[in-house]
């Protein structure tokens, strides 16, 4: 059996077995919120999985109680204080999102508990998504003084319809697994204890299929909007960087870390 385990960063585990690379969020004490180092580790893992002919499928998973609380807010606050970097597009988060959106082989996700911000938007680029019945999806970008990323401002209205997408993106209120199933964001809802196993089972089925046919089928399904997705991600990235340096974002990040309600009365 071809098995190897790499630890590019302790908070992200990468394990490859029988043609399936599994990327596990492993920062449970911080609700699997994602730091720059974690984005870089995931981008590296995707690049390695793409280049390795022995890897046919990638699975993302968290644990039974939490998928991911989204971007690490302390990292956000640091970036907000620094202002937009000159090489903004090379930030690990954008590297990760570009690698994810362009990943040619099948991507599977197992989502239990909260999936916040990028924890939800990354799923728009996965081919199969399985959810625990405790999954809660939320896109609180506006509540943080930010705007959507991962081309979610394009893909969510297409998937949910404009008004439901507006409710999710403008109000930022969580929606639960059954609602995600109804709109087609997830394939199936199962008890949390079964979710990661189901994702692995489906990934192994994919890994047994001819890779060239998988890649070509995925490419064809996405061909109509691949360029649009890339362009929207660039546009969102520029807006995100500008908003990140603004007073609303700084207030929201400080409020979260100080465990108080934000005051946007002057933003
Ligand atoms: N960034 C940094 N730290 C985070 C975090 C994040 N996105 N989400 C959670 N944490 C930390 C908390 O600060 C807390 O740390 P502490 O124990 O040192 O005080 C710890 O993780 C536990 O979080 P807590 O809020 O107490 O857990 P909870 O079970 O009550 O709630 C969430 C879980 C995910 C609903 C809640 O943590 C949350 O809303 N997080 C922020 C999500 C967010 O806005 N992400 C950005 C998206 S763009």
């Amino acid at each position: 059996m071809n098995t190897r385990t790499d630890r590019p960063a302790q908070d992200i585990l990468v394990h490859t077995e029988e043609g399936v690379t599994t990327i596990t969020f492993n920062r449970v004490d911080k609700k699997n919120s994602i730091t720059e180092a974690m984005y870089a580790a995931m981008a590296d893992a995707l690049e390695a999985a793409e280049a390795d002919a022995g890897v046919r499928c990638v699975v993302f998973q968290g644990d039974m109680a939490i998928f991911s609380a989204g971007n690490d807010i302390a990292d956000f606050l640091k970036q907000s204080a620094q202002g937009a970097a000159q090489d903004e597009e090379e930030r690990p988060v954008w590297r990760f999102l570009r690698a994810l959106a362009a990943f040619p082989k099948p991507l599977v996700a197992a989502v239990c508990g909260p999936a916040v911000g990028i924890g939800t938007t990354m799923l728009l680029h996965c081919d199969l998504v399985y959810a625990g019945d405790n999954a809660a999806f939320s896109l609180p970008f506006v509540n943080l003084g930010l705007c959507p990323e991962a081309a979610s401002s394009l893909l969510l209205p297409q998937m949910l319809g404009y008004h439901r997408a507006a409710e999710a993106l403008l109000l930022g209120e969580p929606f639960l697994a059954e609602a995600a199933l109804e709109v087609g964001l997830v394939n199936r809802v199962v008890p949390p204890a079964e979710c990661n196993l189901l994702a692995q089972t489906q990934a192994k089925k994919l890994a047994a299929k001819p890779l060239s046919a998988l890649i070509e089928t995925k490419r064809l399904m996405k061909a109509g909007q691949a360029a649009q997705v890339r362009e929207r991600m660039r546009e969102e990235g520029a807006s995100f960087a500008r908003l990140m340096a603004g007073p609303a974002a700084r207030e929201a990040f400080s409020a979260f870390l100080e465990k108080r309600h934000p005051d946007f009365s002057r933003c």
Side-chain angles (χ1 to χ4, degrees):
M1 193 194 325
N2 177 16
T3 300
R4 64 171 197 269
T5 301
D6 309 313
R7 300 195 64 152
Q10 201 184 352
D11 297 334
I12 292 289
L13 304 179
V14 181
H15 175 78
T16 298
E17 184 173 335
E18 293 177 24
V20 177
T21 289
T22 302
I23 299 176
T24 305
F25 292 115
N26 185 40
R27 195 183 181 222
V28 175
D29 58 325
K30 293 288 179 186
K31 301 287 166 182
N32 288 340
S33 55
I34 310 173
T35 59
E36 292 220 297
M38 291 164 72
Y39 287 121
M42 291 195 291
D44 291 346
L46 285 177
E47 282 164 17
E50 181 174 347
D52 184 343
V55 173
R56 288 155 174 261
C57 180
V58 170
V59 176
F60 287 99
Q61 64 182 23
D63 86 350
M64 267 197 317
I66 177 80
F67 183 64
S68 171
N71 204 104
D72 182 283
I73 290 181
D75 263 17
F76 265 166
L77 187 61
K78 226 183 300 160
Q79 289 164 27
S80 168
Q82 285 164 355
Q86 262 188 340
D87 53 352
E88 183 63 32
E89 292 206 350
E90 288 316 304
R91 275 198 197 281
V93 59
W94 307 129
R95 236 189 91 213
F96 165 65
L97 284 175
R98 283 197 302 271
L100 186 75
F103 194 71
K105 303 174 188 178
L107 292 167
V108 179
V111 183
C112 295
V116 187
I118 199 166
T120 289
T121 60
M122 64 180 280
L123 305 175
L124 300 170
H125 300 280
C126 293
D127 302 291
L128 302 176
V129 181
Y130 299 102
D133 58 20
N134 61 346
F137 304 85
S138 61
L139 301 152
F141 299 110
V142 165
N143 302 345
L144 291 169
L146 298 171
C147 67
E149 31 69 331
S152 56
S153 63
L154 172 74
L155 299 172
L156 267 187
Q158 285 175 357
M159 178 176 278
L160 273 61
Y162 180 82
H163 291 95
R164 280 199 279 195
E167 205 164 40
L169 286 170
L170 298 179
L171 281 175
E173 286 174 359
F175 53 99
L176 303 179
E178 287 302 329
L181 182 66
E182 189 200 327
V183 296
L185 178 64
V186 308
N187 291 80
R188 208 184 299 174
V189 178
V190 296
E194 294 171 20
C195 193
N196 286 3
L197 190 61
L198 173 61
Q200 289 294 330
T201 303
Q202 301 299 76
K204 291 211 168 84
K205 280 191 211 162
L206 288 165
K209 297 186 187 295
L211 182 59
S212 53
L214 286 172
I215 288 177
E216 199 51 18
T217 301
K218 176 167 174 170
R219 188 190 71 75
L220 288 164
M221 285 200 291
K222 291 185 172 265
Q225 66 174 182
Q228 238 184 324
V229 164
R230 276 197 303 276
E231 179 49 37
R232 183 60 62 90
M233 277 174 43
R234 261 197 298 274
E235 194 178 339
E236 289 172 343
S239 300
F240 201 95
R242 182 169 42 77
L243 290 168
M244 172 84 93
R250 268 204 295 273
E251 167 59 11
F253 305 152
S254 305
F256 177 78
L257 295 171
E258 291 161 16
K259 300 188 191 293
R260 61 172 172 82
H261 288 292
D263 173 6
F264 294 128
S265 58
R266 277 169 294 158
C267 304

